Amino acid sequence: MNVEFSLTRSTVVFRRAWRDRLSPLTRHILSNLAVGLAIAIVLWSLHGTRSLRGVEDAGIDWVMRMQWSAPAKKPGVPFALLDIDEATYRHWGEPFHTPRDRLLGLIDHAVQGGAALIVVDIDLSQRGHDPAADAKLQDYLAHYDAPGRPPLILSRAFREPLDSETTPCRSERRSFLEEDPRVAQSPLIHWGSPLFALDRDRVLRRWRLWEPVQANGQTDIVPSIQLLAVALLQSRETASGQIAQALQQALAPLARGRCDPIQPSVALPGDHNASVVRIAGLTLSGQPDRMAQRILYTQPWRLQPGKARPSIPGSSGIAMVSLSIRSALPIGDRAVDPSWLAGRVVMIGASFAESRDRHLTPLGEMPGTLVLINATQSLYRHGELTAPPLYVKLLVEAVLIVVMSLAFARFSSFWGMMASGLFIIAALLPISFFLFRYGVWLDFAIPLLGVQLHKIAADFEATHHHQATNRSPPAALEANSSPAPAGSLDSNPATVAGRPAAIPAPHSEPPGEHHGEARYEPSTGMDPDAVGADDAPAGSRGGLD
């Protein structure tokens, strides 16, 4: 009992000191700071929940749609897409397999144009319908080691594990081109994975920078096309064969435990022994989270009227268009000047409808080759998307909450909310946009919304408490409440001469200015029905056959 009394007394003393020594405005600001930072910490601790993941994905998608066309600040490499579009597909006779002789012509066109790197996003695991064309392409690649030719990345195909197998990993489907050892061992020809992660809403937002595969009882790591491309572009002075070998050595530690047999009631093996991967100027997490896997899209497929593709700073200081898309139709049928491909990363892929290689992205539908271009540019310019340190988040959060509290104290709840909203738009969004262009995601919308909801609830509670406790008693009740004189007929003040007295109905007077202290409680404002995005376990796309 003494302990309980002591605690109660200490609480009362503390509350009196809080109320007497601090001004109402200071108490108001400190209360909002405590509530806002508490909400922020709680939300950041629940960052992995489905609802918050969905809100974060929607915020990043919106920022990308708002500023995809902004000029790049960092120097980059221009890209070119040789597109096997609908017109080209029909002109070629709507073949089931991409004609290998036509594909050879596109590759050689890029070589003659002086491309810095060539990527073929077409499935070459199976032979085509023309054996002569297959042999012609194989012979061309067997002699690809000629001096001055750029590195060539081909798309690796995979087999899904059989239902009877216990391994979670895919296996490689080798190409018929590799039957020639000169192609399989060429230092200029590399094979990369075209697979991406697919979210629950069927939108491609995240990459898979490497793919674990099972081969002859051993686990191997196949790098993604975008990882291979960036590693080769970052180290142009080094032979591409050495870069590919160094990349395999850097990824080798990630293979341990990835494809171990799955036991009943045992979780799939994860990245418990993964480490940081450092290769060609890149620092990547061996166990990346959802944010680190985000692709920063900057290249939509079809441009709206009046829109142009973003530019990048060139080596000579002159801005260049970051991507040029041209149809593959005229190439091979007539002489076409390839000089416009000089110094560009040339991607060869298909966009015609029957290729079944179109996907939803934050910037709308686009062919898989354009997804590869966005992923490669994102990794080359920004690396992995990161969040600022926790102390930076708390500092900026505190500044914004103080400004919001002053706005609420200066104006009414409605105008305070409007003023704080304008402040967020004028200050927070430009900061977020600026950092986002450098690969940093700054998100304060949810905690600030929680503070605003808390403020509205606190004002409602204070008004309700004021109206309930500050009503003036009616004059008639005060008169009738006096003691009855001796000898009166009835000592009950509510009766007159034995009859009940008429008591006038109390009326509410306008409440005066409330000087009490409102009690603030946090409101999470979470929507339990919000749907987030979870990665689908299977890859979302492969190369076109």
Side-chain angles (χ1 to χ4, degrees):
M1 179 64 70
N2 293 335
V3 174
E4 182 179 354
F5 176 77
S6 177
L7 291 175
T8 304
R9 183 181 182 88
S10 300
T11 302
V12 172
V13 171
F14 175 78
R15 293 186 63 183
R16 288 179 178 176
W18 166 271
R19 185 172 59 250
D20 296 341
R21 296 185 181 181
L22 299 178
S23 65
L25 179 59
T26 304
R27 294 199 304 269
H28 173 71
I29 294 176
L30 293 178
S31 175
N32 277 349
L33 270 176
V35 172
L37 294 179
I39 292 175
I41 293 174
V42 169
L43 291 176
W44 288 328
S45 65
L46 299 176
H47 186 265
T49 61
R50 180 179 298 179
S51 298
L52 293 185
R53 290 202 305 262
V55 172
E56 181 181 69
D57 281 339
I60 297 177
D61 293 349
W62 180 78
V63 172
M64 275 191 284
R65 288 192 293 268
M66 291 292 293
Q67 65 166 22
W68 64 265
S69 60
K73 297 298 183 181
K74 295 182 179 180
V77 180
F79 280 66
L81 172 57
L82 299 181
D83 184 18
I84 305 174
D85 53 14
E86 196 69 38
T88 304
Y89 173 65
R90 295 183 184 184
H91 178 70
W92 289 355
E94 300 183 357
F96 183 78
H97 295 285
T98 302
R100 308 313 187 199
D101 53 346
R102 295 282 190 176
L103 179 59
L104 188 156
L106 296 178
I107 295 175
D108 191 64
H109 182 76
V111 171
Q112 298 302 322
L117 174 68
I118 303 174
V119 178
V120 178
D121 184 31
I122 294 175
D123 184 2
L124 296 174
S125 60
Q126 305 293 333
R127 295 182 180 273
H129 59 276
D130 185 357
D134 294 341
K136 190 175 181 181
L137 175 61
Q138 189 175 41
D139 183 70
Y140 177 84
L141 296 180
H143 297 87
Y144 192 77
D145 295 348
R149 291 192 172 181
L152 174 64
I153 300 178
L154 303 178
S155 180
R156 174 67 74 196
F158 299 92
R159 295 186 180 94
E160 295 294 326
L162 297 176
D163 295 338
S164 59
E165 294 180 342
T166 57
T167 175
C169 293
R170 300 176 176 88
S171 59
E172 294 181 89
R173 182 186 290 126
R174 294 283 176 170
S175 170
F176 75 94
L177 298 171
E178 296 173 279
E179 296 174 2
D180 190 323
R182 293 172 296 178
V183 177
Q185 301 172 8
S186 173
L188 289 178
I189 300 176
H190 314 279
W191 298 84
S193 168
L195 301 182
F196 289 79
L198 188 64
D199 286 350
R200 289 171 59 92
D201 57 358
R202 316 301 295 176
V203 176
L204 285 183
R205 295 187 178 94
R206 293 172 173 84
W207 54 39
R208 299 162 68 98
L209 292 183
W210 46 78
E211 193 69 30
V213 294
Q214 186 80 21
N216 300 323
Q218 296 182 347
T219 301
D220 196 7
I221 298 293
V222 178
S224 66
I225 290 178
Q226 62 267 22
L227 180 57
L228 260 174
V230 172
L232 293 171
L233 292 173
Q234 295 277 28
S235 305
R236 302 190 198 185
E237 303 300 327
T238 307
S240 64
Q242 297 179 10
I243 297 173
Q245 184 178 4
L247 180 58
Q248 289 290 347
Q249 293 176 354
L251 297 177
L254 303 177
R256 293 194 299 269
R258 288 295 190 95
C259 297
D260 290 347
I262 304 174
Q263 302 297 332
S265 304
V266 177
L268 293 178
D271 301 326
H272 53 277
N273 53 9
S275 59
V276 175
V277 177
R278 292 185 175 88
I279 180 67
L282 293 173
T283 300
L284 306 172
S285 173
Q287 191 175 1
D289 56 17
R290 290 171 52 85
M291 180 175 293
Q293 295 175 298
R294 283 293 308 232
I295 304 170
L296 302 187
Y297 284 87
T298 56
Q299 304 289 351
W301 185 16
R302 297 184 174 93
L303 297 177
Q304 298 294 330
K307 291 288 187 177
R309 298 197 178 275
S311 61
I312 57 175
S315 57
S316 60
I318 301 176
M320 301 181 298
V321 178
S322 58
L323 172 64
S324 297
I325 301 178
R326 296 191 184 182
S327 173
L329 177 60
I331 300 174
D333 289 341
R334 62 176 184 270
V336 178
D337 183 11
S339 60
W340 67 282
L341 297 174
R344 293 179 176 269
V345 176
V346 179
M347 295 261 187
I348 302 174
S351 65
F352 61 91
E354 291 190 16
S355 67
R356 303 295 189 269
D357 195 25
R358 296 180 183 178
H359 308 275
L360 294 177
T361 72
L363 298 186
E365 186 183 51
M366 64 178 63
T369 308
L370 194 51
V371 174
L372 280 174
I373 292 176
N374 277 284
T376 306
Q377 290 184 341
S378 176
L379 184 62
Y380 184 85
R381 296 176 186 171
H382 310 294
E384 293 180 330
L385 182 63
T386 60
L390 180 60
Y391 72 90
V392 175
K393 291 183 179 180
L394 293 176
L395 178 61
V396 178
E397 186 80 16
V399 173
L400 294 175
I401 291 174
V402 169
V403 174
M404 290 179 61
S405 301
L406 292 175
F408 279 123
R410 176 65 179 83
F411 306 102
S412 63
S413 294
F414 173 78
W415 292 110
M417 187 163 52
M418 291 292 294
S420 60
L422 292 176
F423 174 77
I424 294 173
I425 295 175
L428 180 59
L429 290 183
I431 295 175
S432 299
F433 285 4
F434 175 80
L435 294 178
F436 192 77
R437 295 171 65 180
Y438 290 91
V440 179
W441 171 243
L442 183 62
D443 184 9
F444 295 101
I446 297 177
L448 291 177
L449 177 60
V451 173
Q452 288 186 330
L453 294 177
H454 149 71
K455 173 62 180 175
I456 295 174
D459 286 346
F460 175 81
E461 180 183 357
T463 302
H464 179 74
H465 177 73
H466 171 73
Q467 292 178 349
T469 58
N470 291 283
R471 297 178 184 273
S472 301
L477 286 179
E478 293 181 357
N480 290 332
S481 63
S482 58
S488 63
L489 295 176
D490 195 346
S491 60
N492 187 350
T495 60
V496 178
R499 301 190 313 273
I503 302 177
H507 67 281
S508 300
E509 297 185 2
E513 183 180 358
H514 179 51
H515 296 284
E517 179 182 355
R519 183 170 63 90
Y520 295 90
E521 295 182 358
S523 171
T524 59
M526 292 176 59
D527 182 6
D529 296 328
V531 178
D534 289 337
D535 293 343
S540 65
R541 68 173 295 270
L544 168 69
D545 187 1

